[in-house]
Amino acid sequence: MTNEKIDYHAIRERVVRKVSQAMSAKRFQHSLGVEKATRTLAKLNGADIEQAGLAGLVHDYAKERSDEEFVAMIHEKHLDSDLLNWNNNVWHGVVGRFFVEAELGITDPAILQAIERHTTGDAKMSLLDKLLYVGDYIEENRVFPGVDEARALAQVDLDLAVSFETEQTLCYLISQHKSIYPKTLATYNAYVAHFKEDL
Amino acid sequence: MTNEKIDYHAIRERVVRKVSQAMSAKRFQHSLGVEKATRTLAKLNGADIEQAGLAGLVHDYAKERSDEEFVAMIHEKHLDSDLLNWNNNVWHGVVGRFFVEAELGITDPAILQAIERHTTGDAKMSLLDKLLYVGDYIEENRVFPGVDEARALAQVDLDLAVSFETEQTLCYLISQHKSIYPKTLATYNAYVAHFKEDL
């Protein structure tokens, strides 16, 4: 994949106003925080900084769309009908990628995949997937128990940060008796669990 | 399903020695404890006491078989090849039911299904499935944090006991960084999670 042909900076200039208009001021602040975090993590991990920053900026573009709009998109794109059993928390990434593509004109498959996976993760994540997954969790506006440990891990080892975030997310969901999307479990089994040990 | 035609007590007399010879003394003691617990729970919930007791007695029949024997059975019965990625903890129920059928001659599909599901649960459990799932967890030889709460819940509401057990099991597996079988998550989502709330 050669990123040289895509001018991510020019795309940012073109879409940034549309992103800000699609969400609350607070969420736009979060988006700018994730952009900054993914750029920093990209630099640390030898990835494309502009590509990672753009993924960070637009990852929550669809977050404030109505349930009806997500359901319509699930039908329009003929996505797995099991998605209809879920909610905004899953939809804004897994389905949100199609709003980013259709309305912001971003077609880079690596960015669209990272948006798709930014909440649930995946058993096999690309470097960009991980940058956005972790960047979303540790950006400077985040305040929750464990965020400092997550930030420290991300400075040292991106896979350890993925593992920590996944475990924390699962524990939080269980503590709240919230439903857990199967792909979140697949991420746990791939990045946290010691699979081969004798149970 | 009429259970009147099946003499569960006669089957017990026929298989009890074979069960005891298939496992350590400690595990046989556990099996007798589960038999007692499932009988008590069956009485409380208006289920067939003899059927539930037999399910309890034989549920761990295959637990001490070798990995090679489980793998051979997975191939022989043409089971989902994903099972090959798992281990004794999953196999002794999901695959173990076939050993119970072949070697103990127990063909009651309700008992075989309860054995299949006794470790992982299922999104839609029968009454017998629940009696064994919970009975295995609370039998009198069990000692672990939370067992008294589990026992108390089982006296009051079997579904609440299923919920409590599933949540505790998930938390334990995560705390140990152990792999989680997808069906365990399906049980959590069905019996613990408040699915429809706004996440």
Side-chain angles (χ1 to χ4, degrees):
Chain A
M1 193 167 53
T2 60
N3 295 328
E4 295 165 48
K5 291 176 192 166
I6 306 180
D7 185 346
Y8 294 107
H9 186 70
I11 298 174
R12 186 199 191 281
E13 294 301 297
R14 181 171 59 73
V15 305
V16 62
R17 180 186 293 267
K18 211 164 183 177
V19 173
S20 78
Q21 290 172 341
M23 57 189 64
S24 69
K26 190 179 175 195
R27 194 178 312 282
F28 186 61
Q29 203 57 38
H30 163 67
S31 298
L32 293 174
V34 179
E35 178 183 38
K36 189 173 167 186
T38 49
R39 287 177 65 93
T40 303
L41 291 173
K43 197 169 179 181
L44 264 174
N45 290 277
D48 186 315
I49 295 170
E50 300 297 329
Q51 183 188 35
L54 183 60
L57 178 71
V58 304
H59 78 289
D60 266 354
Y61 174 70
K63 179 81 179 173
E64 298 183 14
R65 307 304 277 252
S66 70
D67 288 358
E68 290 69 26
E69 286 174 285
F70 283 117
V71 168
M73 185 64 92
I74 290 166
H75 290 305
E76 183 188 326
K77 297 293 180 185
H78 306 289
L79 305 181
D80 185 344
S81 62
D82 174 62
L83 276 169
L84 298 170
N85 297 318
W86 296 85
N87 53 36
N88 180 282
N89 196 43
V90 168
W91 291 338
H92 84 279
V94 176
V95 187
R97 61 170 288 171
F98 295 101
F99 291 89
V100 170
E101 186 172 12
E103 300 177 10
L104 299 182
I106 293 175
T107 56
D108 180 2
I111 289 183
L112 296 175
Q113 176 178 288
I115 293 169
E116 178 181 331
R117 297 174 170 180
H118 83 269
T119 302
T120 63
D122 190 273
K124 287 189 180 180
M125 284 195 262
S126 71
L127 177 53
L128 183 61
D129 293 344
K130 293 175 192 171
L131 297 175
L132 182 55
Y133 184 76
V134 173
D136 184 26
Y137 197 65
I138 66 166
E139 64 94 2
E140 61 192 15
N141 301 293
R142 293 283 201 195
V143 182
F144 56 84
V147 70
D148 288 335
E149 190 172 349
R151 287 179 182 131
L153 286 171
Q155 294 297 314
V156 181
D157 186 317
L158 192 61
D159 281 331
L160 275 183
V162 167
S163 174
F164 180 80
E165 173 181 344
T166 304
E167 182 174 343
Q168 294 291 109
T169 299
L170 262 189
C171 287
Y172 169 76
L173 292 171
I174 293 170
S175 76
Q176 303 291 307
H177 290 184
K178 291 193 173 182
S179 54
I180 298 169
Y181 194 59
K183 189 162 274 194
T184 302
L185 183 74
T187 306
Y188 168 87
N189 278 333
Y191 287 93
V192 183
H194 305 307
F195 230 81
K196 292 299 178 190
E197 75 187 90
D198 187 19
L199 296 182
Chain B
M1 192 167 55
T2 60
N3 296 328
E4 297 164 47
K5 290 176 191 166
I6 305 180
D7 185 346
Y8 294 107
H9 186 70
I11 297 173
R12 186 199 191 281
E13 293 302 298
R14 181 171 58 73
V15 305
V16 63
R17 179 186 294 267
K18 212 163 182 177
V19 173
S20 77
Q21 290 172 341
M23 57 188 65
S24 67
K26 189 179 176 193
R27 193 177 312 283
F28 186 60
Q29 202 58 37
H30 163 67
S31 298
L32 293 174
V34 179
E35 178 184 37
K36 188 173 167 187
T38 51
R39 287 178 65 94
T40 303
L41 291 173
K43 197 170 181 183
L44 265 174
N45 291 277
D48 185 315
I49 295 171
E50 300 296 330
Q51 183 189 35
L54 183 60
L57 178 72
V58 304
H59 78 287
D60 266 353
Y61 173 71
K63 179 78 180 174
E64 298 184 14
R65 308 303 277 252
S66 69
D67 288 358
E68 291 70 26
E69 286 174 286
F70 282 117
V71 169
M73 185 65 91
I74 290 167
H75 290 305
E76 183 188 327
K77 297 294 178 184
H78 305 290
L79 304 181
D80 185 344
S81 62
D82 174 62
L83 276 169
L84 297 170
N85 297 319
W86 297 85
N87 52 37
N88 181 282
N89 196 42
V90 168
W91 290 339
H92 84 279
V94 176
V95 186
R97 62 170 288 171
F98 296 101
F99 290 90
V100 170
E101 186 173 12
E103 299 177 9
L104 299 182
I106 292 175
T107 57
D108 179 2
I111 290 183
L112 296 175
Q113 177 179 286
I115 294 169
E116 179 182 332
R117 297 173 170 181
H118 83 268
T119 302
T120 64
D122 190 272
K124 289 188 180 182
M125 283 195 264
S126 72
L127 177 53
L128 183 61
D129 293 345
K130 293 175 192 172
L131 297 175
L132 182 55
Y133 183 77
V134 174
D136 183 25
Y137 198 65
I138 65 167
E139 63 94 1
E140 62 192 16
N141 301 294
R142 292 284 200 194
V143 182
F144 57 83
V147 70
D148 289 334
E149 190 172 350
R151 286 179 183 131
L153 286 170
Q155 295 298 313
V156 181
D157 185 318
L158 192 61
D159 281 331
L160 276 184
V162 167
S163 175
F164 179 80
E165 173 181 344
T166 304
E167 183 174 343
Q168 293 292 108
T169 299
L170 261 188
C171 288
Y172 168 76
L173 292 171
I174 293 169
S175 75
Q176 301 292 307
H177 291 185
K178 291 192 174 184
S179 55
I180 297 170
Y181 194 59
K183 189 162 273 193
T184 302
L185 184 74
T187 306
Y188 168 87
N189 278 333
Y191 287 92
V192 183
H194 306 308
F195 230 81
K196 292 299 177 189
E197 74 187 273
D198 187 19
L199 296 182

